[in-house]
């Protein structure tokens, strides 16, 4: 990926950075070829560059990104809090419930999403029941299994948790076809990180696509993708775990697009570090205010950027599945 970004940088030398369409033509083959080769790395690499080009355009014109996209329909964007079983922290259902209650007390949080997959369906069922009893009927609870449940196990789990008003279950099974079969047994909404809108529409599920903008090839393609989701009645919200630059892009696009109606994911309070001044973002009363500065409305923290660059050079990309306390063992959850 790094070599691809460097090569694209060479191709873009001397280009007009405001001509984003021509920059894309320089860096990417036609989109049908990108899809046919099943190599998303080039789209992701250009997507990262393209987000920077939109920031540059906004700063050059002295306008925030949301205004370049047509203006904002909301001043603040909702994000969920996160919960999971974490070694040394929330190791059981009671601790997970206490964590969510603490987030509500400290930050006014009423939107919660998390992963409870430990290979034990009864543990997930018990935790959902305890969460709903602890939080009461109003707060939102969403779940994510990272595609880990088999179809029979997912049917069993969803049958048990449906009375506890789970708003959405992300990737409960591994394929859209299994999700369509699961739909016959549950009215809980489904979402997926797989941005295959055609197949979602053909099968009638998932109900929402959840990805980051780099995966889609940048902000311009994300706007078109979200518009297609709206036309097809498929919801869209933004991915979790990104640093401040991409999160700022989420804020502006979500502010400018009425169709993004559901809260986006966040790991803000679990984030190890960031590269923007004042980062990471933090939600209060479930929302983050949309920056009004030009471009993305954020500035790089050059000291933090140098720190994380050194970390990358010395250790390579962050591996959120590696557990330093247990060499040779991979975590089930991709958490910091």
């Amino acid at each position: 990926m790094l070599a691809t970004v460097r090569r694209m940088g060479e191709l873009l030398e001397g280009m007009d950075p405001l001509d984003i369409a021509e920059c894309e033509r320089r860096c990417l083959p036609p989109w049908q070829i990108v899809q046919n080769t099943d190599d998303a790395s080039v789209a992701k690499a250009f997507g990262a560059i393209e987000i920077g080009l939109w920031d540059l355009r906004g700063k050059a014109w002295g306008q925030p990104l949301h205004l370049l996209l047509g203006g904002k329909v909301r001043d603040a964007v909702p994000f969920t809090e996160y919960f999971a079983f974490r070694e040394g922290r929330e190791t059981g259902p009671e601790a997970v419930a206490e964590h969510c209650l603490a987030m509500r007390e400290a930050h006014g949080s009423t939107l919660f999403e998390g992963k409870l997959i430990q290979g034990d369906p009864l543990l997930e069922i018990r935790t959902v029941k305890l969460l709903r009893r602890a939080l009461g009927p109003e707060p939102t609870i969403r779940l994510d299994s990272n595609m880990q449940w088999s179809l029979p196990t997912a049917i069993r789990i969803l049958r048990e948790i449906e009375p506890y008003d789970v708003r959405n279950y992300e990737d409960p099974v591994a394929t859209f076809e299994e999700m369509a079969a699961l739909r016959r047994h549950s009215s809980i909404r489904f979402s997926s990180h797989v941005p295959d809108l055609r197949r979602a529409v053909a099968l009638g599920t998932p109900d929402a696509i959840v990805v980051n903008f780099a995966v889609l090839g940048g902000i311009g393609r994300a706007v078109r993708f979200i518009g297609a989701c709206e036309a097809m009645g498929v919801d869209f919200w933004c991915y979790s775990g990104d640093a401040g630059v991409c999160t700022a892009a989420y804020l502006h696009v979500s502010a400018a697009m009425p169709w993004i109606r559901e809260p986006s994911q966040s790991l803000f309070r679990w984030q190890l570090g960031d590269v923007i001044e004042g980062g990471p973002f933090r939600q209060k009363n479930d929302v983050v205010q949309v920056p009004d500065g030009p471009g993305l409305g954020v500035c790089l923290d050059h000291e933090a950027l140098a720190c994380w660059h050194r970390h990358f050079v010395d250790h390579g990309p962050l591996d959120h599945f590696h557990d330093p306390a247990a060499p040779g063992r991979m975590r089930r959850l991709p958490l910091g």
Side-chain angles (χ1 to χ4, degrees), residues 272-305:
L272 295 175
D274 212 330
V275 296
I276 63 168
E277 292 179 358
F281 287 100
R282 295 282 191 266
Q283 67 266 58
K284 182 68 176 175
N285 297 324
D286 297 323
V287 299
V288 176
Q289 296 297 313
V290 179
D292 276 323
L296 294 175
V298 296
C299 296
L300 288 175
D301 181 331
H302 291 281
E303 185 176 335
L305 182 63

Side-chain angles (χ1 to χ4, degrees), residues 182-202:
L182 184 59
R183 169 52 44 78
R184 295 197 291 270
H185 300 271
S186 178
S187 63
I188 295 174
R189 292 159 47 87
F190 303 139
S191 60
S192 179
H193 288 320
V194 180
D196 192 338
L197 182 59
R198 283 193 180 95
R199 197 150 52 103
V201 172

Side-chain angles (χ1 to χ4, degrees), residues 54-304:
W54 277 97
D55 182 51
L56 191 153
R57 176 183 287 189
K59 287 182 166 61
W61 293 349
Q63 300 290 343
L65 174 59
H66 60 74
L67 199 56
L68 301 183
L69 297 176
K72 59 183 176 181
V73 297
R74 54 182 68 91
D75 295 319
V77 175
F79 285 86
T80 60
E81 294 285 353
Y82 216 80
F83 60 82
F85 296 118
R86 296 189 288 175
E87 291 184 15
R89 296 182 182 180
E90 296 85 46
T91 57
E94 292 78 8
V96 169
E98 289 172 5
H99 167 75
C100 292
L101 288 171
M103 293 301 98
R104 183 167 69 178
E105 178 67 24
H107 308 293
S109 305
T110 66
L111 308 172
F112 300 92
E113 179 168 351
K115 294 181 174 72
L116 299 174
I117 44 169
Q118 295 291 312
D120 183 350
L122 291 177
L123 180 63
E124 174 156 324
I125 293 166
R126 181 185 167 207
T127 306
V128 170
K129 292 179 178 179
L130 186 60
L131 270 172
R132 180 53 73 197
R133 284 199 298 269
L135 293 170
E138 296 300 327
T140 294
I141 297 175
R142 300 195 312 207
L143 300 174
D144 180 6
S145 85
N146 280 9
M147 303 182 176
Q148 298 231 3
W149 296 125
S150 68
L151 179 57
T153 301
I155 291 172
R156 176 189 177 191
I157 292 171
L158 269 66
R159 182 182 296 125
E160 293 291 331
I161 67 175
E162 187 162 342
Y164 296 90
D165 192 21
V166 173
R167 172 65 178 166
N168 184 80
Y169 206 130
E170 189 163 280
D171 286 324
V173 287
T175 68
F176 284 12
E177 288 75 15
E178 287 178 307
M179 225 180 276
L182 184 59
R183 169 52 44 78
R184 295 197 291 270
H185 300 271
S186 178
S187 63
I188 295 174
R189 292 159 47 87
F190 303 139
S191 60
S192 179
H193 288 320
V194 180
D196 192 338
L197 182 59
R198 283 193 180 95
R199 197 150 52 103
V201 172
L203 293 169
T205 189
D207 305 278
I209 304 294
V210 184
V211 292
N212 70 43
F213 295 163
V215 167
L216 296 172
I219 289 170
R221 286 192 174 274
V223 168
R224 297 199 292 276
F225 184 85
I226 296 163
C229 285
E230 181 176 6
M232 295 295 103
V234 176
D235 272 326
F236 180 97
W237 58 85
C238 299
Y239 190 67
S240 61
D242 290 306
V245 173
C246 206
T247 300
Y250 297 162
L251 288 165
H252 284 274
V253 174
S254 297
M257 304 205 72
W259 186 246
I260 304 181
R261 305 171 297 177
E262 293 284 320
S264 290
Q265 300 174 341
S266 91
L267 287 168
F268 296 147
R269 300 193 211 285
W270 295 13
Q271 210 163 311
L272 295 175
D274 212 330
V275 296
I276 63 168
E277 292 179 358
F281 287 100
R282 295 282 191 266
Q283 67 266 58
K284 182 68 176 175
N285 297 324
D286 297 323
V287 299
V288 176
Q289 296 297 313
V290 179
D292 276 323
L296 294 175
V298 296
C299 296
L300 288 175
D301 181 331
H302 291 281
E303 185 176 335

